[in-house]
Amino acid sequence: MSDEGRLSRRNFIAASTGFAGSMVAGQAAADSLADVPPREDGADLSGHSERSQYVKIARIPEAGPGKRNVDPSDAINSKAPLDKLVGSITPTDLHYERSHSGAADLDPAKHRLLVHGMVRRPLVLNIDDLKAMPSMSRTVFIECTGNGWENWHKADENLTVQNTHGLVSTNEWTGVPLSFLVDLVEKERGSTWMLAEGGDAAGVARSIPLTDEILNEAFVAYGQNGEPLRPAHGFPMRLVMPGFEGNLNIKWLRRLKFGDQPWMTRWETARYTQLQANGKAIQFQLRMDTNSVITSPSGTMTIKPGYRRISGLAWSGHGKIARVEVSTDGAKTWRDAQLNLPALAKAQTRFQMDWVWDGKPTKLVSRSTDDKGNVQPDRKSFIAAVGTNALFHYNAQQTWSVDADGRLRNVLD
Ligand SMILES: Nc1nc2c(c(=O)[nH]1)N[C@H]1C(S)=C(S)[C@@H](COP(=O)(O)O)O[C@H]1N2
Ligand SMILES: [Mo]
């Protein structure tokens, strides 16, 4: 065991048997089950299982930055409860959702995918055609470019980590590699762009540059965490674009068109462009940057002095998470957190660290580094570089303040 592990065990035992902790771990009264509740009868077996009645966990629909507690019919996205999740996989029904015109439930028997444009053999495929092709499975995060948009200008101190960071999730997706489809339709060499279009009313369509990375890694998914996609996530088929902005992961996929230049759809001209400090906008800022957040303890939670475990999630659209550092003194000093391995490329990685809180007001911050050397920026340098006109791709370090009563709040730094 590492020194850190040994330290952690000593702290845990000291805290739980002593003065400080909220924990109940203790020496067993006797060599018997006296302290352990009796066995209980079970419910009837069923077609599928529900969460425990003791577990309250749900997404929250929101209507945009600062627009909380809205009627679900006004919601534009529904955020994942990061504060209540453990490990690195998001349960399917809690994967965040962003749908521009609701969640269509398409009939797979009628659904078709057209693959055409600069190809020698245009094809129309149905779901059975896709399932007959060689498949791959990959665990990746999908993140909306709007994730973090709550904190561009000010920090509402009553936000939870679900409010600030709930537009990212990690699932295992199964489907057909884009490279297989490209070969199948015999894409022409001169085609360097691909249009992906959805079959929902919003008509979301994006131009995607066919870099080697994208040709090697993108896929058309029909499976999600071992079952068919859920309607909210694009049933019966969606594009998965590991590491790139959520909006490119086109749901209810009905068309892939190959060409030699971008189509300049309204989704990449009017929308999903980034207004810079100088008033000019950036187009096609497609990569999701290195990011992390402490999920426990986090905004609105209350802690007691003594031993506790800090835990959170880190991710990068560039590759694997190589390191996460945590500061418990407002970014003055940092310690390396432990990463729950394996850290998969372009997937969320859980980190944890032990901490003994002395009861004095302080600030908790995390900072991630990926295997390409990208370091998550602090807020001051991030804003200095990007300005505050922007809306998307916020990846500055998240700070939670802890006041003397142990209450955590969302603060800018
Ligand atoms: N057809 C279609 N595809 C879409 C969208 C949409 O509204 N329609 N939303 C996009 C956006 S903005 C994001 S962030 C992701 C969200 O995927 P999820 O809902 O599975 O989390 O899907 C993208 N693909
Ligand atoms: Mo998004």
Side-chain angles (χ1 to χ4, degrees), residues 234-287:
F235 180 80
M237 53 183 81
R238 84 175 301 171
L239 189 62
V240 176
M241 292 283 300
F244 293 94
E245 63 178 22
N247 191 253
L248 299 181
N249 294 254
I250 299 293
K251 302 191 280 190
W252 310 288
L253 186 68
R254 74 199 286 258
R255 171 153 69 150
L256 293 175
K257 182 174 184 180
F258 293 90
D260 56 8
Q261 53 192 355
W263 283 260
M264 299 297 177
T265 72
R266 84 181 182 90
W267 303 95
E268 51 214 18
T269 50
R271 314 285 299 273
Y272 296 97
T273 58
Q274 183 83 312
L275 194 55
Q276 294 174 276
N278 65 9
K280 292 195 171 167
I282 311 179
Q283 252 188 309
F284 301 114
Q285 182 186 353
L286 303 182
R287 174 98 51 189

Side-chain angles (χ1 to χ4, degrees), residues 190-261:
S191 165
T192 48
W193 287 83
M194 175 179 81
L195 180 77
E197 183 187 280
D200 52 332
V204 180
R206 291 297 304 267
S207 306
I208 294 169
L210 294 174
T211 60
D212 285 348
E213 180 187 4
I214 289 173
L215 277 169
N216 287 333
E217 296 190 31
F219 56 107
V220 176
Y222 49 77
Q224 178 180 11
N225 288 340
E227 62 171 328
L229 299 182
R230 298 279 174 107
H233 305 291
F235 180 80
M237 53 183 81
R238 84 175 301 171
L239 189 62
V240 176
M241 292 283 300
F244 293 94
E245 63 178 22
N247 191 253
L248 299 181
N249 294 254
I250 299 293
K251 302 191 280 190
W252 310 288
L253 186 68
R254 74 199 286 258
R255 171 153 69 150
L256 293 175
K257 182 174 184 180
F258 293 90
D260 56 8
Q261 53 192 355

Side-chain angles (χ1 to χ4, degrees), residues 366-397:
S366 66
R367 150 173 102 190
S368 60
T369 303
D370 65 31
D371 63 351
K372 306 286 185 309
N374 301 292
V375 182
Q376 185 185 3
D378 63 69
R379 187 167 193 282
K380 282 202 181 74
S381 25
F382 177 78
I383 295 294
V386 186
T388 51
N389 285 336
L391 182 62
F392 297 127
H393 292 273
Y394 184 92
N395 74 319
Q397 293 162 21

Side-chain angles (χ1 to χ4, degrees), residues 76-77 96-100 142-147 149 167 206 245-248 272 392:
I76 62 165
N77 49 234
Y96 89 88
E97 182 190 357
R98 172 75 173 106
S99 297
H100 290 265
I142 296 180
E143 180 179 23
C144 182
T145 43
N147 205 20
W149 57 12
L167 290 176
R206 291 297 304 267
E245 63 178 22
N247 191 253
L248 299 181
Y272 296 97
F392 297 127

